Amino acid sequence: MKVLVIIPAYNEEKNILKTVNNLKEIKLDHELDYVIINDGSTDQTKKICEENHLNMIDLPFNLGIGGAVQTGYKYAYYHNYDIAIQFDGDGQHDGNYIKDLISEIEKGNNVAIGSRFISELSTFKSSKMRRLGKDILSFLIKLVTGKKIYDPTSGFRAVDKEVIKVFANDYPSDYPEPDTIVTVIKKNYKVSEIPVKMNKREGGKSSINPLKSIYYMIKVSLAIIIAGASSKKNS
Amino acid sequence: MLPWELVVTLIIFALIFILYVWHRVIKRNLSIKYALLWLVFCIAMVIAILIPDVLKIICDFIGINTVSNFIFLIGFGILLFITFVLTEIVSTQKAKITALAQEIAIMKHEEKKDE
């Protein structure tokens, strides 16, 4: 079983080396490869990757998170990986949960989502507004697909071979998480969520401001509805 | 009929515009597909200048009182249509450029591995 960890990195000079080193320490009974997608970083990310001989794909210019992650899925598809795992380069995700995600896939799920809000484990602190936003997206996904997803914006996910192919072919360019979930459920793939703990962002910048959040909510809501409407035929 | 001085001035403007479009096509800065769109626009303008009664007939037919209102309506409609087509083109091109960038990055990566 070949497993690939996809690490999108945009200006992650402070975290990228640590992220990869943490990954390398994880003991698994699977082969665990990784690939960093340098999304046109303007800092030293590329240099650090080259100096340390990290496995990096260097995008010629910034594509945004969706385009970067999709590059990883294409790479996984071309190299015949069985499982691809999305893993942030900023230290938010905890590699110890990778084996849980893999075992969810082995149980026959096509997609496994590392969820912050599914159990008592979740001490993840977030503001009321963020939770409200997440609840609205959860509700919309439930409305469109009939399935409850507790953490629709989680970027910590594992997908199997079939979904790798789907994502390599078509992936939204920005804020891709919620509507890809709808797409896979609509295509009758099995999606499961497992509880994970996430760390606070170490370095790097978060992009929260009120106007952006409103834009985000409208755009993602629309994306969910469109994904729900356009994937119906495929199932 | 418009006063002849005005007709000449307007025709000159229209001709300059047509020549400009033609020039851009020759220079390969504008594809023939879109040049056609602008040329049709120009020809319609010339017809309207030479035979303004045509506009009046159309106005009476669809029930618009003044010709100027009709022209604003048509102009606005055409501009909206063109901008819509442009955003559509930009969207598909963005997707294509993204795919190209991804493939190039992966190819470069494979090359480096082979060395």
Side-chain angles (χ1 to χ4, degrees):
Chain A
M1 183 100 90
K2 279 169 77 187
V3 182
L4 178 74
V5 178
I6 300 167
I7 310 168
Y10 176 63
N11 291 349
E12 297 291 358
E13 59 181 6
K14 292 199 189 78
N15 303 305
I16 193 68
L17 196 55
K18 208 162 79 185
T19 303
V20 172
N21 285 336
N22 287 344
L23 272 182
K24 281 178 180 162
E25 278 166 24
I26 297 166
K27 295 274 176 292
L28 286 172
D29 25 322
H30 299 281
E31 213 183 306
L32 190 69
D33 297 336
Y34 73 92
V35 62
I36 298 163
I37 316 292
N38 176 34
D39 190 14
S41 297
T42 50
D43 64 356
Q44 302 295 308
T45 304
K46 182 179 174 183
K47 209 175 144 203
I48 290 171
C49 289
E50 279 169 349
E51 278 170 359
N52 294 283
H53 304 289
L54 305 182
N55 187 31
M56 174 200 59
I57 293 178
D58 186 35
L59 288 170
F61 43 81
N62 182 270
L63 292 182
I65 181 69
V69 169
Q70 192 186 25
T71 310
Y73 283 120
K74 285 186 174 172
Y75 181 83
Y77 176 62
Y78 293 151
H79 288 87
N80 232 351
Y81 278 96
D82 300 298
I83 297 176
I85 298 169
Q86 256 174 265
F87 194 79
D88 279 3
D90 62 3
Q92 260 201 95
H93 297 159
D94 185 342
N96 293 314
Y97 292 103
I98 284 179
K99 63 175 190 310
D100 299 339
L101 288 174
I102 292 174
S103 65
E104 280 302 297
I105 300 288
E106 282 175 333
K107 275 185 216 160
N109 291 297
N110 302 96
V111 179
I113 301 168
S115 175
R116 283 160 286 186
F117 304 114
I118 203 167
S119 75
E120 65 283 355
L121 243 170
S122 65
T123 49
F124 190 79
K125 291 213 173 54
S126 73
S127 70
K128 265 190 186 154
M129 284 311 287
R130 284 202 129 192
R131 271 183 180 263
L132 177 69
K134 226 148 255 175
D135 287 344
I136 293 173
L137 295 183
S138 270
F139 173 75
L140 267 176
I141 291 176
K142 169 102 180 157
L143 202 69
V144 173
T145 65
K147 190 170 165 59
K148 172 93 177 162
I149 300 292
Y150 291 88
D151 193 354
T153 59
S154 168
F156 191 18
R157 314 190 289 184
V159 311
D160 74 343
K161 209 167 191 165
E162 283 185 55
V163 179
I164 288 176
K165 197 177 164 189
V166 172
F167 285 173
N169 276 323
D170 188 24
Y171 203 75
S173 66
D174 36 17
Y175 317 131
E177 285 84 13
D179 60 300
T180 47
I181 293 174
V182 174
T183 304
V184 291
I185 297 175
K186 279 283 177 186
K187 284 184 191 285
N188 286 334
Y189 290 116
K190 276 198 247 161
V191 178
S192 82
E193 271 187 297
I194 57 159
V196 299
K197 258 164 102 175
M198 286 196 195
N199 306 317
K200 275 236 179 77
R201 219 173 254 274
E202 301 167 22
K205 53 190 184 316
S206 174
S207 49
I208 323 168
N209 77 54
L211 212 62
K212 252 193 184 163
S213 324
I214 292 169
Y215 171 68
Y216 173 88
M217 284 306 296
I218 293 173
K219 186 166 177 187
V220 173
S221 303
L222 196 63
I224 288 172
I225 293 164
I226 290 171
S230 55
S231 333
K232 259 174 200 154
K233 293 163 226 142
N234 299 342
S235 53
Chain B
M1 197 60 193
L2 300 169
W4 71 270
E5 297 95 332
L6 186 60
V7 171
V8 171
T9 320
L10 290 176
I11 293 284
I12 287 172
F13 275 119
L15 276 180
I16 290 174
F17 187 57
I18 289 171
L19 284 177
Y20 182 70
V21 170
W22 178 251
H23 174 252
R24 299 322 279 171
V25 175
I26 298 281
K27 286 265 173 191
R28 295 280 186 275
N29 285 333
L30 186 65
S31 66
I32 293 173
K33 189 176 159 191
Y34 302 119
L36 271 177
L37 178 78
W38 291 112
L39 286 179
V40 168
F41 190 65
C42 273
I43 290 166
M45 221 157 67
V46 171
I47 292 173
I49 294 164
L50 292 177
I51 334 169
D53 290 343
V54 174
L55 293 178
K56 230 172 235 157
I57 295 166
I58 300 172
C59 279
D60 290 342
F61 185 71
I62 43 179
I64 294 176
N65 281 334
T66 50
V67 174
S68 63
N69 277 349
F70 175 68
I71 290 174
F72 278 123
L73 179 76
I74 294 292
F76 193 65
I78 289 175
L79 288 181
L80 271 184
F81 174 72
I82 292 174
T83 12
F84 183 81
V85 171
L86 284 179
T87 49
E88 209 176 59
I89 293 168
V90 169
S91 305
T92 52
Q93 288 194 338
K94 193 190 167 208
K96 285 176 188 170
I97 292 169
T98 299
L100 275 178
Q102 290 171 335
E103 294 298 336
I104 288 172
I106 293 173
M107 270 166 65
K108 270 189 172 171
H109 180 78
E110 306 297 316
E111 250 171 43
K112 219 185 263 173
K113 240 196 282 178
D114 291 341
E115 276 169 15

